[in-house]
Amino acid sequence: MANKQVRRPFVVILGILVVNFLGLFSETSLNIALPVLRETFSVSSAAIQWLVIAYMLMIGLALPLSTLISHWFKTKDIIIFAIFIFALGSVIAACANSFAVLLIGRTIQGIATGLFIPLMFTIATIIFPSNKFGSVMGVIGVVMGFAPVIGPTLSGIIIDSLSWRWIFWLFLPFLLLSLLLTIFTMPNVIEQTHPRVDWLSVILSMLGFGLLVSSVGLISNLGIASPIVIILILLSLLILFIYIHRQLRINRPILNFKILTNSRYRNGTLIVIFNFGIVLAAMYLLPQMLQNGLGQKANTTGWILLPAGVLNAVISVIAGRLSDHFGARYLVLTGTVIFIAGLIMMSIINLKSGIPYIIAAQSMLLSGSAMLFPPAQSYALRSLSAAHSSDGSTIMNTCQQIMGALSTSITNSLLVFGGTLHPLQNTAARFMSASRFAFIFAFVLAVLILIVAFQIKGKDKTSRQTA
């Protein structure tokens, strides 16, 4: 039985699925355009990366506050506001005549994305019964997995056919569709309890999460061993420690971190987070390997990346449905093995690698990701009570975005460092050698997924835990 009965729940969630697809598509859509944007605005590689980091920074600031906001404002109103903000950021970015203006547009888009990502999960866990969570997470997995993957593909086609500005202009008709769906189908599914706002917790949340993502972003500029980077990371961790400690002690916390004592939720969330970090690292590297290493055009690169993206979407839906019947354990373990095999294949791509091999390697990686992602999510969220579902989705998605920023920044740093190890090679050969070095971080995360995957129990419960 769903926590809140609504007619045609898939129709209800469709509007927020569309806008979330756009938000997550935007997260990787500029990856393939980074070389073009670097030349257009005459900025360094480290500076251009802030188009990715700033987006994640704003998501990291907004996400932890989403549960509090949803208890003060109606669900429909929050989504409509976020759609308008995302549209504003898109227009600013599309009209940008300088790097600073483009960065402002991306920043505004990130704020909107941070508002509607957790709402997607919270609404789903409220209007669908827990024995359908796997199927729902499979559909959400298409959004969470397919959107970042298809981003470089569509962007490459748009850049070659039109210009990078059209990446942002083309958001607008889909935002209008999402707006209309939200207006006509979205009920107020989250109760407005108007809790007292603990402003110290709000400040600590913004400082801690914001400083952590920002300091991680500085790794590319200053290096991971930089005293400034180390000090800022330690300071952000200290602030977050104080913030979490406060949430555990006050009567009405912004986020209920006590749910992390639930081993099912904790293990499922860890797998989701590490998976997201690997996929983002791979999708940051592969478009650049194809362009800078193998000399492919943006349009061709986009088409090369497409088959794996389609396969990811199909397997995500299937894996979600299977997890409702067979549980998460074997799907997660099988997906992890395929995931690692794909990662190994991608890490040995070189100047002589053919396009079929590259497509096969990426398909292995994303197939494994699609097989483990929805089951791990449903395994985590169905272990929580309805009262804790909002906190669960917010914590999971906040950690995902922090991991995304960390993954992108560390991958770029390893890419730069790897390039210094081969100074005598030509540009293409040096980049390909450096990219293999950059896969180290992804391998570390893959090993962690494998370790946690063995902690997943047998067939997980198909009914919610009670509060």
Side-chain angles (χ1 to χ4, degrees), residues 122-444:
T122 302
I123 292 169
T125 56
I126 290 174
I127 67 176
F128 288 94
S130 61
N131 63 348
K132 295 292 183 183
F133 274 13
S135 299
V136 176
M137 292 306 155
V139 175
I140 290 178
V142 174
V143 173
M144 299 294 291
F146 186 54
V149 171
I150 200 69
T153 300
L154 295 183
S155 296
I157 296 169
I158 292 168
I159 290 168
D160 274 7
S161 303
L162 300 165
S163 79
W164 63 266
R165 296 181 187 275
W166 280 94
I167 295 174
F168 298 100
W169 286 125
L170 291 176
F171 283 131
L172 300 183
F174 294 100
L175 287 169
L176 177 61
L177 172 63
S178 178
L179 178 64
L180 293 174
L181 287 168
T182 300
I183 290 172
F184 291 110
T185 67
M186 179 61 68
N188 185 44
V189 298
I190 301 174
E191 181 183 359
Q192 278 67 62
T193 57
H194 299 98
R196 184 181 69 84
V197 179
D198 180 32
W199 289 105
L200 178 57
S201 293
V202 172
I203 293 170
L204 288 172
S205 172
M206 296 182 71
L207 278 176
F209 289 115
L211 188 58
L212 179 59
V213 176
S214 299
S215 56
V216 164
L218 289 173
I219 292 174
S220 295
N221 292 356
L222 305 177
I224 197 167
S226 166
I228 295 176
V229 170
I230 294 172
I231 290 171
L232 289 177
I233 289 177
L234 291 176
L235 179 60
S236 66
L237 293 176
L238 175 62
I239 294 172
L240 286 175
F241 174 80
I242 297 170
Y243 166 71
I244 294 172
H245 181 69
R246 182 173 179 81
Q247 302 315 294
L248 293 173
R249 298 189 62 181
I250 61 179
N251 292 329
R252 293 185 177 181
I254 291 179
L255 281 177
N256 181 12
F257 286 96
K258 291 179 181 178
I259 62 175
L260 290 172
T261 59
N262 182 326
S263 62
R264 287 176 176 259
Y265 172 76
R266 185 176 62 249
N267 290 334
T269 298
L270 285 173
I271 290 172
V272 167
I273 292 168
F274 295 150
N275 169 78
F276 189 74
I278 294 173
V279 170
L280 240 59
M283 295 317 300
Y284 179 77
L285 279 170
L286 191 53
Q288 297 188 72
M289 290 168 67
L290 288 165
Q291 292 180 84
N292 298 337
L294 300 179
Q296 299 291 336
K297 293 182 179 179
N299 186 21
T300 307
T301 297
W303 286 112
I304 292 171
L305 299 176
L306 181 60
V310 173
L311 191 60
N312 175 274
V314 172
I315 293 178
S316 180
V317 174
I318 295 172
R321 293 181 67 87
L322 288 175
S323 70
D324 282 334
H325 298 285
F326 303 107
R329 179 178 173 83
Y330 296 110
L331 286 166
V332 170
L333 284 170
T334 303
T336 303
V337 172
I338 297 172
F339 198 49
I340 293 175
L343 195 59
I344 293 171
M345 289 177 67
M346 284 184 65
S347 68
I348 57 177
I349 292 173
N350 55 52
L351 293 175
K352 296 181 180 179
S353 297
I355 300 303
Y357 176 84
I358 295 171
I359 293 174
Q362 189 200 9
S363 296
M364 287 281 286
L365 179 79
L366 295 184
S367 295
S369 173
M371 190 174 290
L372 67 88
F373 189 71
Q377 271 187 326
S378 61
Y379 179 85
L381 293 177
R382 68 165 34 123
S383 71
L384 301 176
S385 68
H388 294 153
S389 61
S390 180
D391 290 311
S393 64
T394 299
I395 291 172
M396 179 185 291
N397 285 285
T398 299
C399 292
Q400 268 189 272
Q401 296 307 316
I402 291 173
M403 175 56 75
L406 184 67
S407 175
T408 303
S409 192
I410 290 179
T411 299
N412 188 68
S413 296
L414 290 170
L415 191 64
V416 173
F417 177 75
T420 64
L421 300 179
H422 306 278
L424 300 180
Q425 292 182 339
N426 62 49
T427 303
R430 185 167 63 249
F431 190 90
M432 297 304 286
S433 298
S435 67
R436 284 196 288 274
F437 193 86
F439 275 102
I440 290 175
F441 181 65
F443 276 116
V444 172

Side-chain angles (χ1 to χ4, degrees), residues 39-52:
E39 293 181 10
T40 300
F41 295 110
S42 300
V43 294
S44 67
S45 297
I48 205 71
Q49 190 202 6
W50 277 94
L51 292 174
V52 179

